Amino acid sequence: MKKYILALLCAFFTVCSVGFVSRMNQKDVAPNREVMENTVVEIQNIQCALETPYGNIEEIADSSETIIWGSIKNRESFATLNGIIWTKETVNVLEILKGSYVDNEIYVYKMGGEVTVDEYVNSYSSDIADIKRAEYSQYNKDSMVKQLFSEKELSDIGTCEILFLRQISKFDQEDNAYEPIGDYMGIYTSDLSCELENNATSSNANPRSSAIGELYETSYNGYFGSFTYDALQSLIK
C-alpha cells in the first residue's frame, strides 16, 4: 500500500508543480443549508507544469507508444491520495494510427473530473480528513467537487477523439490501460458525436464509409490548434 501511495504522489508531482491556482467556491448558500446531491459545490482549477514541453504534433507523435482514433463509451471519476481526481474513460477504438496492436476497447486515464464530497474528503489522511469534513459540513455528502487541469472540460460520452497515448500501470495492471502523452497536449477532440461500433484497424489501413466520412472531415481541436483527421495523420507519419 505504501508503495502504491508513493507511486501516485510521484506521478502527480512530475506533472503538476503548482497546487491550486484558482478556486471557485459556490458556497453562496445560507449557512448550514445542505446543497442538493449531485450539485457541483466547488470547482478547483489546477495549473500543471507539463512533464515534457512538446513543441508540436510531430514531437508528441514520436513520443507516443500508441495513437488511436476512438469514441468515449463511458467514464468514471475517482479521488486518489489527497484529493487528486482522475477519470477513467472506456474508449472504443475505431482506428489505430500508430502501434502494432491495440484492443478494440481500451481504458484511458485523464486528470480531472468530479467526485462526491464524501469521496473527496475521505481521500485525505485521517487527521486532514477531519478538517476537510468540517470544511464541507454544510454540503450533502453526495454533492460534487470538480477539478480541471486545463482550460477544457473533459469530453462528453460519445465524443470522437484522437489520442496520443502511452501505457500505464499505476491504476490497474491491464495491458489496455493508457494515459495521454503530455496530459491535455495529447488529446484532440471533435465537436461531433462518434457513437459508432468498434472498427479497429492496423495503422496502414484507412477504411472509409458513408457512416464515418463526416468524422474524417471535421476538425479535431487540441493544444496545437485544429486539424482534420487527414492533417493529423499526415503529421503523425
Side-chain angles (χ1 to χ4, degrees):
M1 177 59 73
K2 289 183 178 179
K3 291 183 178 179
Y4 174 74
I5 292 172
L6 181 60
L8 289 180
L9 280 173
C10 291
F12 173 69
F13 284 110
T14 56
V15 176
C16 294
S17 62
V18 182
F20 300 114
V21 296
S22 66
R23 179 176 291 184
M24 184 170 65
N25 292 313
Q26 298 179 351
K27 299 181 179 180
D28 52 0
V29 294
N32 301 320
R33 174 184 168 185
E34 286 195 344
V35 177
M36 289 171 42
E37 63 183 43
N38 300 323
T39 298
V40 175
V41 296
E42 183 172 270
I43 299 177
Q44 301 170 351
N45 294 286
I46 300 179
Q47 184 180 28
C48 289
L50 296 175
E51 54 185 328
T52 304
Y54 296 102
N56 51 49
I57 294 290
E58 294 93 328
E59 289 184 9
I60 298 177
D62 288 343
S63 299
S64 301
E65 299 172 9
T66 299
I67 305 173
I68 65 99
W69 179 55
S71 62
I72 301 171
K73 181 178 179 180
N74 55 54
R75 66 149 52 91
E76 58 178 319
S77 297
F78 57 96
T80 61
L81 186 66
N82 291 329
I84 303 304
I85 300 174
W86 286 74
T87 294
K88 175 184 179 181
E89 295 180 345
T90 303
V91 175
N92 285 333
V93 178
L94 302 173
E95 287 186 25
I96 302 166
L97 284 74
K98 178 181 178 180
S100 57
Y101 177 78
V102 176
D103 288 349
N104 286 347
E105 187 175 277
I106 63 174
Y107 301 119
V108 178
Y109 290 86
K110 298 177 181 177
M111 298 182 74
E114 297 179 15
V115 298
T116 65
V117 165
D118 194 49
E119 182 178 352
Y120 177 73
V121 167
N122 288 330
S123 70
Y124 288 86
S125 60
S126 58
D127 53 340
I128 300 177
D130 289 339
I131 298 172
K132 289 288 184 181
R133 196 167 290 110
E135 180 183 347
Y136 289 87
S137 61
Q138 69 191 98
Y139 300 125
N140 188 301
K141 67 177 182 180
D142 292 323
S143 298
M144 309 298 290
V145 173
K146 180 178 186 178
Q147 282 180 2
L148 300 174
F149 285 82
S150 74
E151 295 180 357
K152 292 182 63 177
E153 300 265 355
L154 292 178
S155 301
D156 296 329
I157 292 174
T159 298
C160 195
E161 294 185 325
I162 295 174
L163 299 169
F164 297 72
L165 303 169
R166 64 180 167 210
Q167 284 188 301
I168 59 170
S169 59
K170 59 190 173 190
F171 297 122
D172 64 45
Q173 300 299 314
E174 298 292 333
D175 291 337
N176 61 343
Y178 299 85
E179 66 179 346
I181 288 284
D183 190 40
Y184 52 87
M185 296 183 81
I187 302 171
Y188 285 79
T189 303
S190 168
D191 292 333
L192 295 179
S193 177
C194 188
E195 297 183 20
L196 304 173
E197 294 297 322
N198 292 16
N199 188 33
T201 69
S202 70
S203 57
N204 294 324
N206 193 18
R208 304 224 173 186
S209 68
S210 58
I212 61 176
E214 189 178 5
L215 290 167
Y216 283 101
E217 297 170 2
T218 189
S219 292
Y220 290 83
N221 305 305
Y223 184 81
F224 290 110
S226 297
F227 304 84
T228 63
Y229 176 95
D230 285 339
L232 275 172
Q233 189 179 50
S234 65
L235 291 171
I236 290 167
K237 292 182 177 180

